């Protein structure tokens, strides 16, 4: 019984330390220009205080994406790197998996271009997360959905609609889920 209390106290202290670290990262991040980073940090801070409650949830889809890939490219943009550089260090100590789901806009052939391109976008993000940020590769799942799940409908095709649909979604999953 005493060892359980000691373990719980140390877990609470570790969570408090993570919350302080997340707050420090939030202050140092350029959150005024990137609402996605603000949203990620808000979600993590809200959930960090109660470790056990966080893991009652099977998955947590962050209200952010790595969006705006250029047409027919899988090259990440500077803002993608910035977001991942702030997010992944906060997720690394948690017992979570990351699901990366690539998407394309509606232009191009589903089979010949979009399915491969969407998967490739998620794979590029995964490689950066594992190779440069040290997140364990066995805790990342990569898939591509082509253009079958648009954020916004592509008709009529406007630049903004196409831009938002060329993305990689990030979902956090409990390892037990």
């Amino acid at each position: 019984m005493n060892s359980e209390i000691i373990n719980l106290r140390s877990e609470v202290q570790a969570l408090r330390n993570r919350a302080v670290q997340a707050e420090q990262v939030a202050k140092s991040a350029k959150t005024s220009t990137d609402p996605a980073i603000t949203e990620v940090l808000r979600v993590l801070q809200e959930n960090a205080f109660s470790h056990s409650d966080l893991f009652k949830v099977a998955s947590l889809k962050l209200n952010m994406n790595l969006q705006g890939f250029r047409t027919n490219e899988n090259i990440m943009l500077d803002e993608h790197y910035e977001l991942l550089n702030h997010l992944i260090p906060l997720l690394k100590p948690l017992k979570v998996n990351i699901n990366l789901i690539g998407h394309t806009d509606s232009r191009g052939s589903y089979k010949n271009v979009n399915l491969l391109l969407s998967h490739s976008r998620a794979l590029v993000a995964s490689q950066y997360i594992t190779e440069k940020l040290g997140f364990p590769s066995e805790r990342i799942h990569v898939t591509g959905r082509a253009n079958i799940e648009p954020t916004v409908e592509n008709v009529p095709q406007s630049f903004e609609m196409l831009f938002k649909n060329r993305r990689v979604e990030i979902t956090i999953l409990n390892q037990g889920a």
Side-chain angles (χ1 to χ4, degrees), residues 6-175:
I6 292 170
N7 288 341
L8 286 173
R9 285 183 179 159
S10 65
E11 184 176 336
V12 166
Q13 186 59 44
L15 290 171
R16 284 184 182 147
N17 292 343
R18 271 194 227 130
V20 168
Q21 179 187 12
E23 189 174 330
Q24 290 169 345
V25 170
K27 287 179 183 176
S28 67
K30 298 175 185 174
T31 56
S32 61
T33 58
D34 194 340
I37 291 175
T38 303
E39 174 65 13
V40 168
L41 293 174
R42 183 192 64 74
V43 169
L44 291 173
Q45 285 174 332
E46 282 180 5
N47 291 291
F49 72 91
S50 178
H51 188 264
S52 60
D53 288 343
L54 175 62
F55 294 108
K56 289 178 184 174
V57 177
S59 71
L60 173 65
K61 181 180 177 196
L62 300 174
N63 187 19
M64 52 75 64
N65 302 299
L66 303 177
Q67 73 178 16
F69 283 85
R70 291 185 180 96
T71 302
N72 293 327
E73 289 186 5
N74 65 352
I75 300 168
M76 293 197 329
L77 306 175
D78 289 343
E79 53 266 25
H80 299 159
Y81 292 113
E82 182 180 342
L83 178 65
L84 293 175
N85 289 340
H86 287 92
L87 173 65
I88 300 306
L90 296 172
L91 295 179
K92 216 158 85 168
L94 300 176
K95 295 177 182 175
V96 295
N97 294 332
I98 298 175
N99 203 14
L100 299 171
I101 306 166
H103 298 271
T104 64
D105 60 40
S106 61
R107 298 176 300 172
S109 165
Y110 174 84
K111 279 185 175 179
N112 295 334
V113 177
N114 287 347
L115 190 57
L116 179 61
L117 180 59
S118 64
H119 187 84
S120 178
R121 287 175 176 164
L123 187 60
V124 165
S126 172
Q127 287 173 330
Y128 181 75
I129 290 168
T130 58
E131 293 173 10
K132 300 294 184 194
L133 301 177
F135 195 88
S137 60
E138 64 273 7
R139 291 172 42 196
I140 296 181
H141 177 72
V142 174
T143 190
R145 298 266 168 76
N147 58 330
I148 60 174
E149 295 174 355
T151 296
V152 291
E153 290 300 321
N154 288 314
V155 179
Q157 290 184 346
S158 72
F159 175 78
E160 182 182 354
M161 291 175 180
L162 297 171
F163 179 88
K164 287 182 178 182
N165 287 330
R166 296 189 304 262
R167 70 195 189 281
V168 173
E169 291 178 356
I170 300 174
T171 305
I172 300 171
L173 303 166
N174 177 3
Q175 283 186 341

